[in-house]
Amino acid sequence: MSDPTPNADCEHPAPEPEGLTVDFLGSGPTPSQSRFQVDLVAESAGAAAGDGDEKAAPSGDKAQEAEEAKGRFRVVNFVDPSGAVSPDAAPAEGLQNGDTVMSETSLQSSTGGQQHYHYDTHTNTYYLRTFGHNTIDAVPNIDFYRQTAAPLGEKLIRPTLSELHDDFDHGRGEPFEDGFANGEDLTPAEEAAVKDSGDSKGVVKFGWIKGVLVRCMLNIWGVMLFIRMTWIVGQAGIVYCCIIISIATVVTTITGCSTSAIATNGFVRGGGAYYLISRSLGPEFGGSIGLIFAFANAVAVAMYVVGFAETMGDLTMLDAVNDVRIVGTITVVILLGISVAGMEWEAKAQLILLFILLTAIFNYFIGSFIPVESKEKYGFFSYDASIMWENMGPDFRKETFFSVFAIFFPAATGILAGANISGDLADPQMAIPRGTLLAIFITALVYIGVAVSTGACIVRDATGEIGTNFTLGFNNCTGPACKYGYDFSSCKLQPGQDESSCKYGLHNDFQVMSVVSGFGPLISAGIFSATLSSALASLVSAPKVFQALCKDNIYPGIAFFGKGYGKNNEPLRGYILTFLIALAFILIAELNTIAPIISNFFLASYALINFSVFHASLANSPGWRPSFKYFNKWVSLAGAILCCVVMFIINWWAALLTNVIVLSLYIYVSYKKPDVNWGSSTQALTYHQALTHSLQLCGVADHIKTYRPQCLVMTGAPNSRPALLNLVHAFTKNVGLMVCGHVRISNRKPNIKELNNDMLRYQRWLLNNNSKAFYTPVMAEDLRQGSQFLLQAAGLGRLKPNTLVLGFKNNWRECDLKEVETYINLIHDAFDFQYGMVILRLSEGLDVSHIQGQGKCFLSPLSPTTPLNMADQKLLDASQQFQKKQGKGTVDVWWLFDDGGLTLLIPYLIANKKKWKDCKIRVFIGGKINRIDHDRRAMAALLSKFRIDFSDITVLGDINIKPKSESLAAFAQLIEPYRLKEDDMEQDAAEKLKAEEPWRITDNEIELYKAKSNRQIRLNELLKEHSSTANLIVMSMPLARKGAVSSALYMAWLETLSRDLPPILLVRGNHQSVLTFYS
């Protein structure tokens, strides 16, 4: 319940006093034990500010101290040679405005600008003068906000509040153990990788064009552009085709804006979609989407390579299946070699492929303006208004608008190709928004341009035969080709036909763009470029995303693949894994089944990115401050819904499978509860909802039906009284509030820092032990004062305790009676504050802190390493009894006085718990011998109205019988040491002794409350008779009138009532109803 004296074993040796060490001119830069240093330096015409800088660096222990102090500011007092301080003295060379020393990379901008100010706090002397005054209070500096192993510069540590605020005698020590997590803390693996990469030279970083724009355009411009776009125009027509492209562009644009918002809300490291989602929505969503996103990219490599191999097979007329496997295997091996060679080589390959792709696109548009008579038989007549009008509307053949949309939409994906290599970008915050959105805009224009162009110059059907030309006067010819002398009417489907007999035109020839182009082989080269570039981008993306997932340790057993090699921290093991997955699917060679699943995996990522922005905006966290402003939370929500709709449009069963996989992984990660804190919007929204609902509760009046026992449990350190904690947790878990109160008694200057550190540690201990409770410590001069603080201030609004729970003071007869006076006054204070009162007594005791032997620092489960004596072993076993499942037994409720129903409600809540479900409730009430049946029926009716199950009701008709003589003698012996015996002394002496020792029992008091004392004695006899085998006894606690009953007598009543019994709860409500039978 309290810690009067902190355990000495837990205290760390106090550091040496941290003052401001003064170095005079000529003494050299002696390292100080202080974290800050004041140097008095003579500044004159003949003495440069850096005279002392050229001295040898400290060696030995001093050198080590100097290294530990690296990164700290130093404070300097400038004086003239005469010793007079000159506040207006000129600043030392290298200072900006004489105010602040700039650290290396402290001026490095978020846009990648490199402007460094090099300094060393001990080997080079630069001096800090904040606004011209001598102070260790630091001015704002970007280096204070870096991580421990930040890749952009060295982290500086600002002065702690203690160093600025505390006096020199007491203001020392380290900062609080836990401050605010910045959400960007590096894992040990990441720190090692960052340090390695920081030490190496020549790290390759890409700008927004080469890193994002090129990759996104190559990934979006897939093979669909050359071999499916014309077919889509033939099916849907120009108008519908433009609508399809526009819908896809809207989805990708919204996702691009959402990606940009997340990417500009702080520094972005490697991991692409996984990093963005996990840091926004938390590890549950991030871990589930990261795994399937990495897998989707790995399988996408196989899809693109198989597409390349099939195109090769079409051109060379080779064996359809085996040659696809052979060509695909050779291709993926070459791509792996390019990727493993390094990101620089991969980027060069992408530029070459982009050049080929752009050449192919320009080749097509140039060819579309050049009419060639030999191409007319294939349906190409250059631009013609009648052809455009003919192709304006749809002509679906075995397809629908949605099926055509499902075929096109995968062509619009690939917008995360640049974000996936975020760790290799020089400035992700600038590169990702600019490159991604510009790529979406350019590719959408090209897609629409190709759709309008092909629809305006190519007819839907053509025979490919010259014999179809005719004389213009032929009357049966219909269609725009007629005026050119061609009759393709035979190509129209007849009733009962599934396919056209013609092989050319928009509907029938996937390679029609090769016919239109100025030089046909360039289109084939463009197809090769599109497939290979997409395959290469996916081959790089998958390992990068998977590496970030491995480093976060979300899933066990995958950390092996997260190791990076070389100056760019390349995930070579991830490359090999991606290669093996891709090779396996290439050897299958049939990807039509898995292709929809992969598309849905990508769409699930897009949906969660959009939802992340909506979620973060809805949470309204102050930390959500993206520099990219062109987003809206409702538009992002609409984008997330659109992505989900598109998933089902593309393939409903693949969408269902994707949702099942994501949900399964989400449940797994939620169950594992990874120990990470990324400051996700889930945390922010949880806080927002808790705050909102707490305020709403304050506006609603209390009602009996919504009453919950909200307990302030005086546990002291939560792990010191486990039985008290576990039993209260049994009836408050998922029902009511539980606050573990801890009064830290200290007559000296309170150590607030230690109090805060303990609060964080013990709260973490409660969470780790699945105890749904809050830990609230207070500093006070004595237990009563601290308890009064807690009774008044614990809780928030309606989430405020209404019941005080104490452990019985078993050692009250051996301790100082002032402690008994304080203990009883706690009970009186609780009733004064209108609290209910609960006291738990175990015959063995409650406090096990001496068994643990570690005091407040021991935060693990009870597992003493040294053998225990018999008493301690019994105490330890008793303290753990409520953690175990209770066997068949009873919970005996002795409801003798109506306190509002709390005495009945608590055992009901306990009996409903899983560990207590085999225990039956037995109710005992007082009554008269001649009314036993009537009283039993009345109580049964009342319990039935309260809907509380019970196994038996016992009416105690002999409750008023005089106790046994030996029991009376034992009670008299119990109170004998505490009697005042005023009849044996002078009145003044008696009054003086009573004033000095108010717990003394007067003779008048004994006589006045004789009947009540006898009742407690008799009740103990009845308890032993009826409830000696109960698992738990819950009994109405006797009341003592404040100021009339002495503390010793009241304590004797409680002692007598609960002596030599199973675990017993003495309960007294605040006499406000907590049960009702009204609906």
Side-chain angles (χ1 to χ4, degrees), residues 444-718:
L445 283 183
V446 172
Y447 273 127
I448 291 176
V450 170
V452 174
S453 174
T454 53
C457 63
I458 307 171
V459 295
R460 281 191 164 105
D461 298 287
T463 59
E465 298 175 3
I466 299 178
T468 54
N469 60 341
F470 63 96
T471 305
L472 288 177
F474 195 73
N475 294 327
N476 291 332
C477 180
T478 58
C482 295
K483 64 180 180 180
Y484 295 100
Y486 289 87
D487 183 9
F488 297 142
S489 57
S490 61
C491 297
K492 291 185 178 180
L493 293 179
Q494 301 300 321
Q497 271 187 310
D498 292 333
E499 295 181 0
S500 173
S501 58
C502 298
K503 297 181 180 179
Y504 300 97
L506 295 175
H507 263 305
N508 311 305
D509 185 8
F510 290 153
Q511 300 285 348
V512 70
M513 286 184 70
S514 298
V515 176
V516 177
S517 65
F519 182 63
L522 273 179
I523 298 297
S524 298
I527 295 172
F528 297 157
S529 174
T531 53
L532 292 179
S533 62
S534 298
L536 192 57
S538 297
L539 185 57
V540 170
S541 297
K544 294 286 186 181
V545 173
F546 195 61
Q547 182 184 37
L549 184 63
C550 292
K551 287 181 177 180
D552 286 337
N553 290 321
I554 302 296
Y555 300 102
I558 63 173
F560 173 81
F561 297 102
K563 181 175 176 58
Y565 295 88
K567 60 186 180 182
N568 268 28
N569 196 32
E570 295 290 348
L572 298 184
R573 296 173 181 176
Y575 281 127
I576 300 299
L577 179 63
T578 304
F579 166 76
L580 294 176
I581 294 174
L583 185 61
F585 283 97
I586 288 171
L587 295 178
I588 294 173
E590 283 293 334
L591 298 176
N592 290 337
T593 302
I594 200 168
I597 300 177
I598 302 307
S599 296
N600 275 283
F601 281 179
F602 285 123
L603 277 168
S605 304
Y606 297 169
L608 281 179
I609 288 176
N610 285 312
F611 184 73
S612 297
V613 172
F614 167 75
H615 200 267
S617 301
L618 186 66
N620 199 26
S621 171
W624 175 246
R625 303 185 304 275
S627 57
F628 182 86
K629 302 298 183 184
Y630 304 101
F631 71 94
N632 179 273
K633 64 179 179 182
W634 301 112
V635 173
S636 296
L637 178 62
I641 296 172
L642 271 176
C643 288
C644 294
V645 170
V646 171
M647 288 171 66
F648 283 91
I649 290 176
I650 291 177
N651 192 298
W652 67 268
W653 63 263
L656 287 177
L657 181 62
T658 301
N659 288 325
V660 168
I661 293 173
V662 172
L663 183 61
S664 301
L665 293 173
Y666 178 90
I667 293 172
Y668 171 80
V669 177
S670 299
Y671 175 76
K672 295 294 290 184
K673 290 185 175 65
D675 187 17
V676 294
N677 182 11
W678 294 327
S680 67
S681 60
T682 303
Q683 298 173 2
L685 188 60
T686 300
Y687 173 85
H688 184 268
Q689 291 174 337
L691 179 62
T692 302
H693 293 159
S694 297
L695 291 171
Q696 288 176 349
L697 277 175
C698 292
V700 180
D702 289 326
H703 194 280
I704 299 175
K705 289 194 295 184
T706 60
Y707 174 85
R708 297 168 182 267
Q710 303 190 125
C711 298
L712 171 60
V713 190
M714 303 301 290
T715 58

Side-chain angles (χ1 to χ4, degrees), residues 753-792:
K753 187 181 301 181
E754 183 182 11
L755 186 74
N756 278 275
N757 288 338
D758 281 352
M759 183 165 58
L760 294 166
R761 283 198 296 267
Y762 283 127
Q763 186 63 59
R764 190 181 302 120
W765 183 88
L766 288 168
L767 293 174
N768 292 340
N769 285 272
N770 296 318
S771 298
K772 297 185 177 181
F774 299 95
Y775 172 72
T776 304
V778 293
M779 285 280 192
E781 294 182 359
D782 57 53
L783 179 62
R784 187 181 184 188
Q785 184 189 60
S787 300
Q788 288 175 337
F789 292 163
L790 290 170
L791 288 169
Q792 295 176 79

Side-chain angles (χ1 to χ4, degrees), residues 133-329:
H133 298 284
N134 300 321
T135 175
I136 61 175
D137 205 355
V139 296
N141 191 316
I142 189 175
D143 292 327
F144 291 140
Y145 298 90
R146 299 194 189 281
Q147 299 158 356
T148 305
L152 296 181
E154 182 181 2
K155 177 180 176 62
L156 298 182
I157 303 176
R158 70 175 59 83
T160 66
L161 185 60
S162 298
E163 289 165 335
L164 296 174
H165 173 261
D166 293 355
D167 61 70
F168 291 129
D169 292 333
H170 300 92
R172 67 176 68 85
E174 293 303 314
F176 291 158
E177 177 186 282
D178 290 310
F180 292 109
N182 64 6
E184 304 281 348
D185 293 336
L186 299 174
T187 63
E190 284 178 317
E191 287 190 2
V194 169
K195 288 177 182 176
D196 292 342
S197 63
D199 294 338
S200 59
K201 302 298 181 182
V203 177
V204 177
K205 295 291 185 180
F206 302 114
W208 70 275
I209 296 178
K210 188 186 292 187
V212 181
L213 180 64
V214 170
R215 294 173 187 279
C216 288
M217 287 197 303
L218 284 171
N219 233 25
I220 297 172
W221 279 333
V223 70
M224 185 74 66
L225 179 64
F226 296 103
I227 63 175
R228 285 292 185 274
M229 199 66 222
T230 54
W231 176 84
I232 292 173
V233 174
Q235 290 280 348
I238 296 174
V239 174
Y240 279 9
C241 184
C242 291
I243 293 175
I244 288 173
I245 296 171
S246 300
I247 294 174
T249 304
V250 166
V251 174
T252 55
T253 301
I254 293 174
T255 306
C257 291
S258 298
T259 304
S260 302
I262 300 175
T264 58
N265 190 51
F267 179 70
V268 178
R269 288 196 294 271
Y274 161 71
Y275 184 87
L276 298 177
I277 295 173
S278 63
R279 268 51 177 185
S280 297
L281 288 179
E284 294 83 7
F285 277 116
S288 56
I289 211 67
L291 194 62
I292 68 169
F293 189 76
F295 177 77
N297 273 284
V299 179
V301 175
M303 292 176 57
Y304 295 129
V305 169
V306 168
F308 169 76
E310 287 179 348
T311 306
M312 286 284 291
D314 293 339
L315 294 177
T316 57
M317 301 298 180
L318 300 177
D319 180 53
V321 177
N322 290 327
D323 285 346
V324 165
R325 292 170 176 161
I326 295 171
V327 174
T329 301

